[in-house]
Amino acid sequence: MAARFLRRLAGRWVTGVALLVLGYLLLPVAVVAALSFNRPANRLSYDFDEFTLDNWRNPCATSEMCDAVVRSVQIGFVATVVATVLGTLMAFALARHRFRGRSGLNVLIFLPMATPELVMGTSLLALFVSAGVPQGFWTIVVAHVMFCLSFVVVTVRARLAGMDPRLEEAAMDLYASEWQTFRRITLPLARPGIVAAALLAFSLSFDDFVVTNFNAGTTVTFPMYVWGAAQRGIPPQVNVIGTAMFVLALLLTLTTTLHGRRTRRAPRRA
């Protein structure tokens, strides 16, 4: 009996450790979600004093915060679209074609991921100042596209590497054109990786502070607002925004995962 229990325990210890790590990662999110229902005694208090729904009923109690959130969403959307399109094209080129300088380009792709944000932020600031470009909304977009591009390429390329090329070859054997093969076979199979890359790019753009702080000028994004508000007391509505963003990302991820499973099961049922 003891030996059976030990074997069962040894077979499930990986699951237990994974659950502990997941709980550790989600603990700050749980704290933020709990504080979104808190009515603090004062602006400098971070203790849970009283339960309230007023923060969710009026998330824009501070107009400057909502303006910063909208601006961060706009920047993140533009940067995500540009980085996803360019990164997907680069991933297809690196994964499907062989050309001179391909190995060196693979190394260059990882440089923005390995470069400290402080170095990238100051370098972009020097570039914009020397070129006479006024700092603001579009300089932030350019900066975010630059560091999101590498993450998109790596994510989409990993998806392309796991795809079976025989599926595309079978479509071509059935007299499908290159465009039909791409639209009906390649793109649906690569879509989960592209969506994951887009979500990652948006979260990186929305969350960035260091690079944005160097190239924002007078433009205030949500992370910059939180940093400035920390000196005089962070309003509880910040926790509402953080919780809402996490729930939205979770719903998008679950929707994409369920759609991918249904897509994979559809041919089997047919």
Side-chain angles (χ1 to χ4, degrees), residues 17-250:
V17 172
L19 292 176
L20 289 176
V21 173
L22 183 62
Y24 173 76
L25 293 175
L26 294 180
L27 182 60
V29 179
V31 173
V32 170
L35 291 178
S36 67
F37 298 97
N38 179 38
R39 178 180 289 147
N42 55 72
R43 293 182 66 100
L44 298 177
S45 175
Y46 295 96
D47 298 328
F48 195 93
D49 297 313
E50 182 182 354
F51 180 84
T52 181
L53 294 175
D54 294 340
N55 300 329
W56 285 89
R57 291 170 182 167
N58 189 17
C60 289
T62 306
S63 59
E64 294 84 358
M65 184 194 71
C66 284
D67 293 339
V69 172
V70 171
R71 196 172 296 112
S72 290
V73 171
Q74 293 173 344
I75 293 172
F77 177 78
V78 177
T80 298
V81 171
V82 177
T84 302
V85 172
L86 296 179
T88 301
L89 294 176
M90 293 179 63
F92 270 95
L94 292 172
R96 297 297 181 85
H97 301 280
R98 296 186 179 277
F99 50 89
R100 183 175 300 177
R102 181 168 174 263
S103 301
L105 185 58
N106 286 327
V107 176
L108 292 177
I109 289 298
F110 286 95
L111 284 181
M113 301 174 61
T115 303
E117 290 189 356
L118 182 64
V119 176
M120 181 176 294
T122 54
S123 301
L124 287 171
L125 175 61
L127 174 64
F128 292 138
V129 171
S130 61
V133 178
Q135 299 171 5
F137 182 92
W138 291 109
T139 55
I140 299 176
V141 170
V142 172
H144 286 193
V145 169
M146 290 191 66
F147 68 76
C148 289
L149 190 61
S150 297
F151 292 93
V152 174
V153 173
V154 171
T155 305
V156 177
R157 188 180 178 185
R159 177 62 180 174
L160 295 176
M163 290 171 49
D164 190 354
R166 292 177 296 181
L167 297 175
E168 297 170 299
E169 295 173 359
M172 299 289 285
D173 291 338
L174 295 174
Y175 303 103
S177 63
E178 293 184 358
W179 168 246
Q180 289 175 330
T181 302
F182 176 80
R183 184 169 59 90
R184 295 180 179 272
I185 304 298
T186 307
L187 188 59
L189 291 175
R191 186 182 296 121
I194 297 174
V195 173
L199 292 176
L200 178 60
F202 182 82
S203 63
L204 290 171
S205 174
F206 187 87
D207 184 61
D208 182 75
F209 171 76
V210 177
V211 176
T212 304
N213 191 40
F214 279 101
N215 300 277
T218 59
T219 304
V220 179
T221 61
F222 182 61
M224 295 178 63
Y225 171 83
V226 174
W227 177 76
Q231 303 176 8
R232 57 184 184 275
I234 299 177
Q237 285 78 11
V238 170
N239 300 315
V240 174
I241 300 300
T243 304
M245 293 297 296
F246 174 79
V247 172
L248 180 60
L250 182 62

